[in-house]
Amino acid sequence: MTKPAAPVSATPPEGASAWVTIDLDAISDNVRELARRSPGAEVMAVVKADAYGHGLVPSARAAVAGGATWLAVAQLREALQLRAAGVSTPLLTWLYVPGVDFGAAIDADIDISVSAPWALDAVVSAARERGRTARIHVKVDTGLARNGALGQGWTDLVAALGPVVAEGAVEVIGVWSHFALADAPQHPTVLAQRERFVEAAAELRRAGIRPPLKHLANSAATLTNPDAHFDVVRPGLAVYGLSPVPDLGAPHDFGLREAMRVTARLALVKQAPAGQGVSYGHVYTTPHDTVLGLVPVGYADGIPRHAGNVGPVRVGDRRLTVAGRVCMDQFVLDLGAEYAGGAGDEVVILGRGVDDEPTAQDWASAIDTINYEIVTRMSDRLPRVFVGGDA
Ligand SMILES: *Cc1c(COP(=O)(O)O)cnc(C)c1O
């Protein structure tokens, strides 16, 4: 069902020390798979945070090519970038503070999430100024206690909607919410949040407001909880081929495949004696005469500093571990006394889980974080190379 991975280190930028390869076909195929798993629901692909580090515009286009009929980003700035690039797919944005330029959102046909009366007032003012109707999705806090209107706040927001909907200043396109423990599909909070969501939508209906779309499911709920699919599913992580529930399954168990690969080239290879302390702080010492390799990426590129002595990489057909501390621009590998290669050899930092290449999940497990953080932290100092799609 999924195509074999595209060739990856095919076209690194000339002389690049390290680069990130993005398989756009993987993104399209992942969206197709997510759509297949949520029949009856549209797919809103979440492309916030530079598409989780995969490159905003190419990733968004690949998601649309795979069947996403909606896109979503946290920040208005990201939404405007998509519009400026000519992406015209319906698009939702939700995180802002007072002073945000809702007029720009309305002008660019960007749907705005509203969680509070102040935001509704600001959207309404911007819409009136333009003589236009703003498209909004009202967000109910069903128990995450993050964004969204909670308890009486929801009742107040619903009450405030009536007149401005009647006036034509806003059109309520969606009602939506977000889970706290979607990765534990049987958890009582998941049931409770779903129930509260249905109730909140009914409260809207009783006020005469009938948004065509209800959406609740992130990646984990899309993959594990059909009861939460409603009209639109809203996956992010899974679009990029990563598992939001690593304890329940690896990406391929869900028909997904990783879109990101991170590769570097050794900058230096040299002999070192036994007992040599390596990198800042000498927290690694060579156990015997060996060959050290210098990898020209560091925490400024997004390699976690916490990965010192634990981060997994692959060189040739061997798994190795970062030797000593990760520095700002570089880290060191103990390649072993028999190493016959030299400067320029490739090091796979993040692979696709095939051929025992380290995955984002392996990095996450090594430093006690989540795969989300591993991919999103890859900085734009690493050039993106796009393969597949119409790249
Ligand atoms: C990031 C985010 C998503 C996507 O979550 P994943 O776990 O990556 O699928 C969906 N909805 C909201 C509100 C988000 O912030």
Side-chain angles (χ1 to χ4, degrees):
M1 152 188 35
T2 49
K3 286 194 264 174
V8 275
S9 49
T11 51
E14 184 73 20
S17 302
W19 61 96
V20 177
T21 310
I22 303 298
D23 178 356
L24 296 173
D25 288 339
I27 292 177
S28 299
D29 287 344
N30 292 335
V31 169
R32 231 168 256 128
E33 177 64 16
L34 291 163
R36 195 186 66 77
R37 286 170 176 266
S38 43
E42 296 180 63
V43 177
M44 176 185 284
V46 179
V47 293
K48 63 190 179 188
D50 200 28
Y52 292 45
H54 292 66
L56 175 64
V57 172
S59 299
R61 289 214 170 95
V64 170
T69 53
W70 280 86
L71 295 169
V73 288
Q75 300 176 355
L76 177 57
R77 192 177 64 92
E78 304 172 303
L80 292 170
Q81 279 171 18
L82 284 169
R83 287 294 187 252
V87 175
S88 60
T89 309
L91 173 57
L92 176 65
T93 182
W94 59 74
L95 196 58
Y96 46 74
V97 298
V100 61
D101 186 3
F102 284 134
I106 295 168
D107 290 342
D109 286 319
I110 294 163
D111 290 28
I112 302 162
S113 171
V114 169
S115 295
W118 75 259
L120 183 62
D121 291 347
V123 171
V124 165
S125 303
R128 282 181 187 146
E129 253 169 49
R130 287 167 166 69
R132 289 197 50 186
T133 301
R135 294 164 51 95
I136 66 171
H137 298 227
V138 281
K139 187 164 195 183
V140 55
D141 182 349
T142 53
L144 174 59
R146 203 176 68 176
N147 211 342
L150 183 66
Q152 183 61 36
W154 177 251
T155 306
D156 295 344
L157 184 59
V158 171
L161 284 170
V164 291
V165 168
E167 170 197 333
V170 301
E171 181 184 1
V172 184
I173 304 294
V175 53
W176 72 302
S177 192
H178 194 43
F179 282 121
L181 286 95
D183 52 347
Q186 309 305 329
H187 198 274
T189 61
V190 174
L191 271 178
Q193 283 198 259
R194 185 192 180 281
E195 225 166 86
R196 171 66 190 132
F197 183 60
V198 170
E199 225 174 76
E203 205 175 328
L204 260 187
R205 249 192 337 271
R206 286 195 296 275
I209 296 159
R210 292 185 172 73
L213 303 179
K214 290 197 277 294
H215 52 102
L216 180 59
N218 59 359
S219 294
T222 301
L223 293 173
T224 66
N225 189 356
D227 280 350
H229 287 176
F230 294 98
D231 306 303
V232 182
V233 293
R234 208 175 59 238
L237 190 77
V239 167
Y240 310 101
L242 300 180
S243 173
V245 285
D247 296 340
L248 302 182
H252 66 258
D253 296 319
F254 297 107
L256 306 170
R257 71 178 197 273
E258 293 93 339
M260 179 185 285
R261 196 162 190 267
V262 180
T263 316
R265 282 209 192 100
L266 292 174
L268 189 68
V269 172
K270 62 186 177 191
Q271 307 268 340
Q276 174 67 54
V278 173
S279 190
Y280 290 137
H282 280 182
V283 298
Y284 178 82
T285 303
T286 55
H288 36 64
D289 290 0
T290 192
V291 173
L292 298 178
L294 181 63
V295 185
V297 292
Y299 59 79
D301 301 286
I303 307 302
R305 186 169 177 281
H306 278 101
N309 280 340
V310 295
V313 303
R314 189 168 163 93
V315 180
D317 57 5
R318 287 185 307 155
R319 266 285 186 118
L320 298 174
T321 301
V322 174
R325 292 221 172 110
V326 173
C327 312
M328 185 182 292
D329 312 298
Q330 47 198 313
F331 67 80
V332 177
L333 292 173
D334 183 342
L335 296 164
E338 308 303 315
Y339 193 70
D345 288 358
E346 278 190 13
V347 178
V348 178
I349 294 170
L350 264 198
R352 297 218 180 105
V354 291
D355 300 331
D356 197 35
E357 289 180 347
T359 61
Q361 186 54 46
D362 293 333
W363 277 85
S365 302
I367 65 161
D368 194 22
T369 185
I370 53 175
N371 49 9
Y372 293 74
E373 191 185 354
I374 299 299
V375 288
T376 53
R377 61 183 296 145
M378 292 301 157
S379 85
D380 56 15
R381 200 159 80 158
L382 299 176
R384 267 45 173 186
V385 178
F386 297 97
V387 298
D390 49 18

